[in-house]
Amino acid sequence: MNEDRESQCSAAVAEALQVIESKWAFQVISQLYYGSQRFNQLRRSVGEISVKSLTDVLRHLERMQVVHRHVFPTIPVSVEYSLTDKGKEYRKVLLQMREWGEKWTALT
Amino acid sequence: MNEDRESQCSAAVAEALQVIESKWAFQVISQLYYGSQRFNQLRRSVGEISVKSLTDVLRHLERMQVVHRHVFPTIPVSVEYSLTDKGKEYRKVLLQMREWGEKWTALT
DNA sequence: CAGGATCCAGCAAGATACTG
DNA sequence: CAGTATCTTGCTGGATCCTG
């Protein structure tokens, strides 16, 4: 039986799903495709997101190794967020979504 | 400026994201790849899902035209759920997720 | 500036009981 | 069988205040 294969596949998809589990994740990732951004900068460009939500999603993406956090010891400190290679390659998933979305929304 | 292009792209991705917005959607869709299933049948194969949650996600997927609902006027009635063409093609997205997931979880 | 801590409202989602 | 209706609750996520 190929239950192992099954569950492995599910696990892989689950991992990908986790990335965008938060409703803000997609927007954050999209913004970071334009280049690294600082916290408040990101906050503004994303739009109506609370401090808590942004930190939450950033911590989440950081743990998933999709986003990298770089602290500059200036005064006051500044922190830059950028996509890791893993994060950059997630674009493929998003592009596939876009392709699907465009195909099926076109013929409403 | 290409803001239109931008927002169109976002909308397309948003559409795709909506499909799996519910945490059960992925499981339901996966099950339906095996073929159409009836309500309680689906309930059992998905696992620990409440009646409400299952009806909710099915209604949602139905409105997104990802799932088709077919009622057989037997006594008692039986209802079969299956994937539409739009739903079947969503597999591409899932496969892309799987590919990404497998690549990056392999090297933990 | 970049968050940590806390408080609270609102909704998601489960359990349960009932129906055509 | 395939739901609907209702009640209840746990957790999400926003607002606010505070700190290194």
Side-chain angles (χ1 to χ4, degrees):
Chain A
M1 208 163 295
N2 56 355
E3 276 182 26
D4 287 345
R5 197 80 197 81
E6 273 289 309
S7 56
Q8 271 181 36
C9 171
S10 297
V13 177
E15 166 98 2
L17 283 171
Q18 269 182 51
V19 173
I20 37 82
E21 88 176 357
S22 156
K23 71 170 174 176
W24 295 108
F26 165 60
Q27 322 229 51
V28 169
I29 293 176
S30 296
Q31 280 303 320
L32 291 180
Y33 278 132
Y34 295 129
S36 57
Q37 288 191 39
R38 299 216 313 280
F39 189 83
N40 283 323
Q41 194 176 357
L42 206 45
R43 199 154 115 72
R44 276 185 295 273
S45 53
V46 165
E48 284 307 301
I49 186 173
S50 67
V51 176
K52 183 178 181 298
S53 299
L54 184 54
T55 59
D56 283 354
V57 67
L58 284 172
R59 293 284 175 274
H60 175 67
L61 293 176
E62 209 186 332
R63 249 178 317 174
M64 309 252 343
Q65 307 180 56
V66 163
V67 154
H68 181 245
R69 181 171 183 269
H70 193 137
V71 183
F72 294 90
T74 54
I75 300 177
V77 299
S78 66
V79 181
E80 273 198 4
Y81 291 93
S82 56
L83 291 179
T84 61
D85 288 343
K86 185 176 174 182
K88 285 173 188 163
E89 280 212 21
Y90 199 76
R91 183 166 204 128
K92 287 184 182 174
V93 174
L94 265 10
L95 285 176
Q96 187 62 57
M97 283 188 180
R98 173 183 164 189
E99 206 174 291
W100 179 90
E102 285 178 342
K103 172 168 182 180
W104 295 100
T105 51
L107 32 88
T108 303
Chain B
M1 208 162 295
N2 56 356
E3 277 181 25
D4 288 346
R5 197 80 199 83
E6 272 289 310
S7 56
Q8 271 181 36
C9 171
S10 297
V13 177
E15 166 99 2
L17 283 172
Q18 269 182 52
V19 174
I20 36 82
E21 88 175 0
S22 156
K23 70 169 175 176
W24 294 109
F26 165 61
Q27 323 229 50
V28 169
I29 293 175
S30 296
Q31 280 302 320
L32 291 179
Y33 277 132
Y34 295 128
S36 58
Q37 288 191 39
R38 298 215 314 281
F39 189 84
N40 282 323
Q41 195 177 357
L42 206 45
R43 201 154 112 74
R44 277 185 294 273
S45 52
V46 165
E48 283 308 300
I49 186 173
S50 68
V51 175
K52 184 178 181 301
S53 300
L54 184 54
T55 59
D56 284 354
V57 67
L58 283 172
R59 293 283 174 276
H60 175 66
L61 293 175
E62 207 186 334
R63 249 177 318 172
M64 308 248 351
Q65 307 179 58
V66 164
V67 153
H68 180 246
R69 181 171 183 268
H70 193 140
V71 182
F72 295 90
T74 55
I75 300 177
V77 300
S78 65
V79 181
E80 273 199 3
Y81 291 94
S82 56
L83 292 178
T84 61
D85 288 342
K86 186 176 175 182
K88 285 174 189 163
E89 280 212 21
Y90 199 76
R91 183 166 204 128
K92 287 182 183 175
V93 175
L94 264 10
L95 285 177
Q96 187 63 57
M97 284 189 180
R98 173 183 163 189
E99 205 174 291
W100 179 90
E102 286 179 341
K103 172 168 180 179
W104 295 99
T105 51
L107 33 87
T108 302

